[in-house]
Amino acid sequence: MNFEYDYCVYIGRFQPFHLGHLETVQVALETAKTVIIILGSHQVAPNIKNPWSAAVREQTILSCIEPDHRERVQFVRVRDRLYSDNLWLTDVQQKVIGIAEEDSRIAIIGYRKDSSSYYLDLFPQWTYIPTDNFKGINSTDIRNSYFSQSSESEFLSLLPAGTEQFLQGFREQPLYQRLTEEYQFIQSYKNAWEQAPYPPTFVTTDAVVVQSGHVLVVRRKAKPGKGLIALPGGFLQQDETILDGMLRELREETGLKVPRPVLQGSIVGEHVFDNPGRSLRGRTITHAYFIQLKAGKLPPVKGSDDADKAWWMSLSDLYGHEDTFFEDHFQIVQHFVSRI
Ligand code: NAD
């Protein structure tokens, strides 16, 4: 069979993989010898926007594809780089080039859903194959029905059999229960602000305290992200500066007893992290400070307030725990510790 392209790249989160996605994969399989599916948002801690790991998504997608075509589909996993499209693009480019031979004819397929589809324009080196919206199906609506435990029939007809089967089985797993609770929490949180004249923008602070190859982290005591690893930090109070808020949260959550002048004198960087999608509670902008303490014995810390545990995590350990970090906190740490 003659194909117009050697490879067709299809980028998505597929949370979950629905009939619109399957239709696109089928078009890609008719156009190219090999379809490269990029599983985005890899290594994100499960939440109601990204509930399933790349491994689970890969298995589900494969189960939806005709067995004869499966060997023409390859998967790659790509992490989000919320604060650098260039780093994200480097990863996507490298992974595709790692599969495609030199001088391959490469296309990229996808539907321009809304402004979040801007990434489809970032690959001028590949031919863009536009697709239509398939029956108005939308993963967010499917997840909302699924995690709000509303009637199953609302979304089952929008799914390939493989996804339907997977979602039925997943209901038995403890993570499903946890995510339904998280869904309720986020809904109530948003409802509480519904009467405000404008959608709220929250301001938070975070501290990245590093000493002798260790970073100070906490475990979240409450929803959202209960049990996940986070930076000490929290919402700014009405009567404090951002610096004061950061120092207060740091003390409250970790019990760090280093005197204020030492902490303040050890600030070697600060940065605002403002990706509009960084928090599922709503628009939240965080001001993070990088505090580099002098080498020596790690000061004692103890979780309290919103943290049920505080500890010094070695930087090597950090990289092994990427998928258990809350929101973009892993990327915030990375921003500071990888600066040259
Ligand atoms: P998605 O699963 O929502 O959609 C995947 C594709 O399917 C898109 O082209 C979408 O338009 C299309 N689609 C959705 N519904 C359809 C329907 N009914 N009919 C036809 N097509 C339909 O995935 P997404 O959120 O668009 O995935 C993009 C990925 O790229 C994410 O993981 C995102 O985080 C990542 N990304 C990362 C960066 C960065 O980290 N800097 C930048 C851009 C994108």
Side-chain angles (χ1 to χ4, degrees):
M1 193 168 168
N2 278 336
F3 293 100
E4 198 175 345
Y5 299 99
D6 300 307
Y7 297 93
C8 184
V9 175
Y10 185 29
I11 301 175
R13 290 186 298 113
F14 314 113
Q15 298 273 21
F17 187 74
H18 57 56
L19 287 176
H21 297 135
L22 181 60
E23 176 73 12
T24 307
V25 171
Q26 276 156 358
V27 172
L29 282 164
E30 284 162 20
T31 326
K33 201 166 145 200
T34 301
V35 176
I36 301 176
I37 297 186
I38 310 253
L39 296 167
S41 306
H42 177 39
Q43 295 289 48
V44 167
N47 60 36
I48 57 168
K49 184 177 176 193
N50 286 300
W52 300 294
S53 70
V56 162
R57 286 179 278 157
E58 179 173 328
Q59 283 314 309
T60 309
I61 295 172
L62 270 180
S63 73
C64 300
I65 295 172
E66 294 278 334
D68 287 356
H69 291 151
R70 286 182 193 159
E71 61 183 28
R72 291 207 288 125
V73 179
Q74 296 207 32
F75 292 88
V76 294
R77 302 168 184 187
V78 173
R79 293 167 162 80
D80 286 340
R81 302 286 191 160
L82 293 188
Y83 301 98
S84 172
D85 275 345
N86 284 332
L87 281 177
W88 179 75
L89 284 168
T90 307
D91 203 7
V92 175
Q93 289 172 3
Q94 279 179 339
K95 289 197 165 129
V96 171
I97 287 162
I99 292 175
E101 305 80 27
E102 220 178 309
D103 299 327
S104 296
R105 296 161 303 164
I106 304 178
I108 178 163
I109 197 166
Y111 162 62
R112 284 197 171 88
K113 182 171 52 177
D114 52 32
S115 60
S116 72
S117 310
Y118 74 96
Y119 64 85
L120 288 169
D121 295 323
L122 301 179
F123 301 93
Q125 69 277 42
W126 302 332
T127 309
Y128 171 56
I129 304 175
T131 57
D132 292 328
N133 182 317
F134 187 77
K135 297 185 177 173
I137 307 175
N138 178 318
S139 289
T140 307
D141 294 343
I142 295 172
R143 289 193 308 275
N144 287 348
S145 283
Y146 184 61
F147 290 119
S148 64
Q149 297 173 297
S150 63
S151 159
E152 276 194 21
S153 53
E154 274 180 35
F155 62 87
L156 286 184
S157 62
L158 313 175
L159 304 173
T163 307
E164 183 185 333
Q165 221 173 9
F166 165 71
L167 290 185
Q168 269 163 3
F170 186 74
R171 279 184 196 276
E172 308 305 321
Q173 296 186 20
L175 180 56
Y176 176 71
Q177 188 54 39
R178 210 189 87 202
L179 291 174
T180 57
E181 288 167 18
E182 187 101 354
Y183 178 85
Q184 295 304 337
F185 175 86
I186 301 278
Q187 287 310 112
S188 334
Y189 200 93
K190 288 186 167 167
N191 290 345
W193 289 95
E194 225 163 39
Q195 300 307 318
Y198 301 101
T201 297
F202 306 109
V203 178
T204 58
T205 66
D206 284 295
V208 179
V209 185
V210 169
Q211 180 176 323
S212 309
H214 291 73
V215 60
L216 182 53
V217 293
V218 299
R219 189 171 62 198
R220 289 180 62 81
K221 193 155 78 181
K223 292 193 254 319
K226 183 175 175 197
L228 295 181
I229 303 171
L231 290 167
F235 290 95
L236 192 68
Q237 291 180 354
Q238 297 288 307
D239 59 350
E240 64 187 358
T241 63
I242 291 171
L243 177 68
D244 286 343
M246 181 275 291
L247 292 170
R248 173 185 53 75
E249 288 283 354
L250 177 60
R251 236 178 259 294
E252 282 174 5
E253 293 190 348
T254 70
L256 185 70
K257 292 224 163 48
V258 175
R260 179 180 172 125
V262 176
L263 287 174
Q264 223 171 309
S266 308
I267 294 174
V268 291
E270 54 186 281
H271 193 80
V272 172
F273 294 87
D274 64 346
N275 186 289
R278 61 180 295 278
S279 175
L280 296 177
R281 285 173 290 200
R283 184 90 169 96
T284 308
I285 297 173
T286 201
H287 294 243
Y289 289 83
F290 183 30
I291 300 175
Q292 175 84 58
L293 297 176
K294 280 216 180 85
K297 196 165 171 273
L298 297 169
V301 288
K302 188 173 183 297
S304 58
D305 197 46
D306 294 336
D308 66 8
K309 186 180 167 194
W311 73 106
W312 291 97
M313 179 180 254
S314 71
L315 292 177
S316 62
D317 217 12
L318 176 89
Y319 287 91
H321 286 86
E322 181 177 354
D323 60 352
T324 44
F325 267 82
F326 181 58
E327 295 184 339
D328 56 355
H329 290 200
F330 180 82
Q331 291 177 65
I332 294 177
V333 179
Q334 225 181 5
H335 169 91
F336 290 118
V337 301
S338 64
R339 287 174 89 80
I340 45 171

